[in-house]
Amino acid sequence: MTSTELTTGAPPGPTLPTEQQSELFQRDPFGYVRRMRDEYGTIFTLELGALGNEGLTEVDNNGKWVFLSRPHQLRTMYGVDEGVASGAAANQVFFGTDEASVGYIDGRSHRRRRGQIIPALTSRRDYVGLVAEVVDRCVAEWPRGEEIALFPRLQRITSEIIVEIVCGNFREDDRRELAALLPGTENAELGPEGAATAERAIKNLVADRLDGHLAKSDRAGDDDMLATLLRHAADGDESLTDEVVRDEVFSLLYTGFATTANTLSWVFAEVLAHPAVHEQLLGELDDRFRRRPLRRDDFAELKCTEATILETLRLHPVSALNGVRMVNAELEIDGHTIQPGTILVHCAYLLQRSDEVFDQPETFLPRRFLNTRIDPYELGSFGGGSRTCVGRNYAKEEMRVILALVLSSVRMTRSSGVPNAEQQGLFMAPADGTRCVVTDP
């Protein structure tokens, strides 16, 4: 396409008022974007304002959100310089905040903060013992022989695990309180006010415990994530003020518990709806994971388990907005000139259910990810470019361990198929909470 064939302004989209488009999107994000794709194509514009966050941030956007659903579009979005498209500014609008934690900063500061966080979540530690202890204790309390909802129980597991990783040197009662508060930040029944109340309580508790935490960690002989951040601050990183550390801790706690529990709920819903996949997983696991202790290496070669999680991430991204960028200078994508102030959206839901990208895209087929190199512009549930989720590798490892341990510990059956998606807070989860019956093996 030549420059004379370029359209000016945003790609096509509905002409409904912003308030109506926002209501339709928030009521059924996946259904709405699917209808828009069918009507307008693989790149379209929605007028969503600031997603209800008007007045909560100083970042100005023009209200246009351009949804991208093909790999070549994402290569452009993620390939341009931060001066052309800013992840920090877009996230500030998306989440309604002017915070300065890792998701809301750009450039060298962002890269430095990622370098402080990622090693503490991944390469330096083996969290398998911690995960096994929490899973064993929680699963032992699940009722046997009656139908239960897995989703809140998985939230409890992931809450307790992430609290131990991020704030493990807090007193036991503080850790219990944090783990009990976290599910309130992602619960449709409590609504936005309940989520905001839980968030304030968590941030207040963390802020009240900052003083003396490094000394306590020194006495313990081990740093949790909070101590890691405080140590960087003590070593001269002036960007890590107490407020930023508090906000960084909350972000790690929230994303570390919510997205993992949501995805695991979908994993179990899909596995229990597909007996052949269930049997294949049990065959791969055999009885190895009933013994204790276990180490990270024990889970390294679970290829079917890994493929099952990847296929679930493909079919069930936790949001219709898996990566966002604020356009700061005119940008061409697929023949359209995108104007400054527009927010670009990586829509993994549309991308990963496209028959142009995957064969049989609506079918749950974990085998598609066996011995296959993954193109990050085709499977990108954790975002893309230089701003992929800092906990991506940790989350995939945690999910692999939890799935293996739960399937090895109990028998699970489900009488219905895969449920519809329902928004819990920011993220989408199974509408029925993945109801199933648990019995002893």
Side-chain angles (χ1 to χ4, degrees):
M1 180 171 288
T2 66
S3 59
T4 58
E5 297 174 298
L6 296 178
T7 62
T8 57
T15 58
L16 296 171
T18 296
E19 293 77 11
Q20 193 169 348
Q21 290 190 46
S22 296
E23 181 183 352
L24 290 167
F25 176 75
Q26 293 179 9
R27 184 189 306 164
D28 181 14
F30 291 158
Y32 190 53
V33 297
R34 195 163 192 157
R35 293 194 299 275
M36 296 301 97
R37 188 274 318 276
D38 292 343
E39 184 168 354
Y40 298 106
T42 65
I43 177 172
F44 57 86
T45 303
L46 297 182
E47 295 274 0
L48 300 176
L51 281 182
N53 294 323
E54 286 76 8
L56 297 181
T57 174
E58 295 182 0
V59 176
D60 291 325
N61 72 307
N62 61 20
K64 299 181 187 297
W65 298 65
V66 173
F67 284 70
L68 310 178
S69 61
R70 290 298 180 269
H72 69 278
Q73 298 165 354
L74 296 179
R75 286 187 174 91
T76 300
M77 169 179 164
Y78 288 130
V80 297
D81 185 83
E82 290 173 339
V84 177
S86 166
N91 280 336
Q92 286 176 315
V93 176
F94 178 21
F95 292 98
T97 181
D98 285 321
E99 288 182 10
S101 52
V102 67
Y104 312 109
I105 52 179
D106 272 330
R108 182 179 299 176
S109 297
H110 176 77
R111 293 189 291 274
R112 178 175 59 189
R113 190 75 53 78
R114 289 176 67 89
Q116 294 166 345
I117 292 171
I118 292 175
L121 279 176
T122 54
S123 60
R124 291 209 310 246
R125 294 173 180 262
D126 184 344
Y127 293 118
V128 167
L130 165 63
V131 175
E133 187 276 325
V134 174
V135 170
D136 289 347
R137 174 165 40 79
C138 290
V139 171
E141 297 175 5
W142 292 359
R144 296 324 197 238
E146 62 184 75
E147 192 174 62
I148 62 171
L150 277 184
F151 177 56
R153 291 168 170 83
L154 292 169
Q155 283 190 317
R156 178 185 171 189
I157 288 173
T158 59
S159 294
E160 291 193 14
I161 292 169
I162 197 64
V163 165
E164 289 294 333
I165 290 170
V166 178
C167 301
N169 290 336
F170 278 11
R171 299 192 314 258
E172 183 178 352
D173 59 329
D174 287 338
R175 301 198 305 273
R176 283 200 305 268
E177 183 175 355
L178 285 177
L181 285 168
L182 273 172
T185 63
E186 189 72 10
N187 187 318
E189 294 182 1
L190 298 179
E193 290 186 5
T197 298
E199 177 178 342
R200 285 193 298 271
I202 291 168
K203 286 184 173 181
N204 288 340
L205 193 157
V206 171
D208 289 344
R209 301 297 184 270
L210 293 182
D211 286 347
H213 189 76
L214 268 185
K216 181 184 292 186
S217 299
D218 287 338
R219 291 193 297 272
D222 190 28
D223 280 358
D224 53 17
M225 179 62 72
L226 171 55
T228 297
L229 293 171
L230 290 173
R231 210 167 291 283
H232 284 296
D235 289 343
D237 186 344
E238 296 180 358
S239 71
L240 286 169
T241 64
D242 283 356
E243 182 179 0
V244 170
V245 170
R246 178 206 66 185
D247 293 342
E248 200 74 78
V249 166
F250 174 77
S251 293
L252 290 165
L253 291 171
Y254 174 67
T255 56
F257 111 88
T259 56
T260 310
N262 287 32
T263 299
L264 280 169
S265 296
W266 288 116
V267 172
F268 283 105
E270 289 284 4
V271 168
L272 297 179
H274 294 86
V277 174
H278 194 178
E279 287 301 316
Q280 189 175 27
L281 288 173
L282 293 178
E284 178 176 72
L285 298 173
D286 55 58
D287 61 357
R288 289 178 293 161
F289 298 100
R290 295 178 185 174
R291 64 175 176 80
R292 300 291 184 272
L294 294 164
R295 299 176 63 251
R296 174 186 284 179
D297 292 347
D298 296 324
F299 297 83
E301 298 301 321
L302 297 179
K303 297 185 182 299
C304 292
T305 304
E306 177 73 10
T308 299
I309 292 169
L310 291 173
E311 178 68 344
T312 302
L313 287 166
R314 183 188 72 81
L315 276 173
H316 303 287
V318 296
S319 173
L321 303 94
N322 297 93
V324 289
R325 296 289 188 272
M326 170 78 80
V327 176
N328 295 322
E330 284 192 355
L331 177 65
E332 178 194 337
I333 301 180
D334 249 6
H336 299 276
T337 301
I338 313 299
Q339 298 296 326
T342 302
I343 294 181
L344 302 175
V345 176
H346 168 183
C347 186
Y349 179 82
L350 294 178
L351 169 73
Q352 294 165 189
R353 288 176 177 247
S354 167
D355 57 12
E356 295 178 20
V357 180
F358 291 100
D359 293 332
Q360 303 179 65
E362 300 290 341
T363 304
F364 184 70
L365 294 173
R367 66 174 181 270
R368 76 172 83 237
F369 290 113
L370 290 173
N371 304 313
T372 300
R373 186 174 180 273
I374 296 173
D375 183 338
Y377 296 102
E378 294 181 354
L379 185 71
S381 301
F382 292 95
S386 61
R387 300 179 65 92
T388 52
C389 172
V390 294
R392 175 185 56 175
N393 292 330
Y394 158 78
K396 289 194 293 186
E397 181 175 342
E398 181 189 16
M399 288 190 288
R400 186 166 63 245
V401 174
I402 292 174
L403 179 59
L405 293 178
V406 172
L407 289 179
S408 297
S409 301
V410 293
R411 291 182 180 178
M412 311 172 77
T413 57
R414 179 177 166 85
S415 59
S416 56
V418 179
N420 293 326
E422 179 179 81
Q423 195 139 12
Q424 285 295 325
L426 282 177
F427 305 120
M428 307 293 283
D432 72 346
T434 308
R435 300 194 70 81
C436 66
V437 176
V438 173
T439 57
D440 291 320

